[in-house]
Amino acid sequence: MSSSDIFIGETIGTAILILLGGGVCAAVTLKASKARNAGWLAITFGWGFAVLTAVYTSAPLSGAHLNPAVTLGIAIKDGDWSDVPVYWAGQMLGAMIGAALVWVAYYGQFHAHLTDKEIVGGPGAQDTKAKAVEAQEKGAGPVLGIFSTGPEVRVVWQNLATEVIGTTVLVLAVLTQGLNDSGKGLGTLGALITALVVVSIGLSLGGPTGYAINPARDLGPRIVHALLPLPNKGGSDWGYALIPVAGPLIGGAIAAGIYNVAFA
């Protein structure tokens, strides 16, 4: 794989991942969406299908890492770091493109949601106003969860540990079951395995933090949230932003260490 193939493949694949994954979050969250309040099952399976679609699309070009933690794990496993910057650059760009496309697809719903007094407060607002104010006091605006993750209970060590544990499971599954014959990316069966693992992590471990398990998936859309001209959007919760970046990278490194000790 050439550097240009890797960059293009990771950009396209990660954009699809965030478009479909962020899209299901928007569908469930926004007040004028037909899928509003569809629930956690819709979100977890939506993200799983997003992984499946993105991997099958980008695998022929880049091996479909789509996640800096996966790239880190494979680099540690192989001892080859030459393509890591290209992978990470494509993943970050793709994540930002995907988040911007979610905004385009749900433009009217974002506007309706963020100008609704029951969501953002104002005369006539009831208990939802208190909830919105509470979220903003924590640094998170009322639609930030569409773009990036945040904890239900803000305990730094636990939030970090949750992301480390979830990502360790993901990357270990990729390294042991999901790689193609060359070992440089996901194979055909590996795409399905990885998608199902993501669903499992979401169902079992996603409750505390929203399971970023992917630094680009969280940081890229968080930057887009900060830049977009959304009315009453509130903060981007930069005080939490390091955890869904550091936690997955630590988890990816731990998974590679486990692989090299136990499976290599």
Side-chain angles (χ1 to χ4, degrees), residues 155-212:
V155 180
V156 172
W157 71 264
Q158 180 212 340
N159 303 151
L160 181 66
T162 300
E163 290 295 332
V164 170
I165 293 166
T167 312
T168 300
V169 172
L170 171 63
V171 177
L172 191 59
V174 169
L175 296 179
T176 57
Q177 303 172 61
L179 293 180
N180 55 29
D181 291 339
S182 70
K184 300 296 184 183
L186 288 167
T188 302
L189 182 58
L192 178 59
I193 292 169
T194 303
L196 293 175
V197 170
V198 169
V199 172
S200 178
I201 292 170
L203 292 173
S204 301
L205 301 173
T209 62
Y211 72 118

Side-chain angles (χ1 to χ4, degrees), residues 53-144:
T53 306
V55 169
Y56 278 130
T57 302
S58 61
L61 283 174
S62 66
H65 294 190
L66 312 181
N67 183 340
V70 171
T71 301
L72 178 63
I74 293 174
I76 293 173
K77 176 184 79 74
D78 293 340
D80 182 2
W81 296 81
S82 59
D83 291 324
V84 169
V86 180
Y87 273 102
W88 285 4
Q91 290 155 5
M92 277 297 298
L93 177 61
M96 295 179 70
I97 292 171
L101 290 175
V102 171
W103 171 64
V104 171
Y106 281 90
Y107 178 83
Q109 283 72 25
F110 273 113
H111 182 78
H113 191 86
L114 290 172
T115 55
D116 191 304
K117 293 178 181 178
E118 292 297 321
I119 303 298
V120 299
Q126 303 299 323
D127 65 326
T128 49
K129 176 182 177 181
K131 293 178 182 177
V133 170
E134 180 184 4
Q136 291 177 24
E137 286 175 349
K138 294 178 180 177
V143 297
L144 180 61

Side-chain angles (χ1 to χ4, degrees), residues 2-36:
S2 68
S3 293
S4 60
D5 284 344
I6 291 171
F7 182 77
I8 292 170
E10 292 298 292
T11 299
I12 293 172
T14 311
I16 291 173
L17 171 66
I18 302 305
L19 170 61
L20 298 181
V24 72
C25 292
V28 171
T29 301
L30 296 175
K31 194 166 185 177
S33 166
K34 293 181 182 294
R36 179 167 167 79

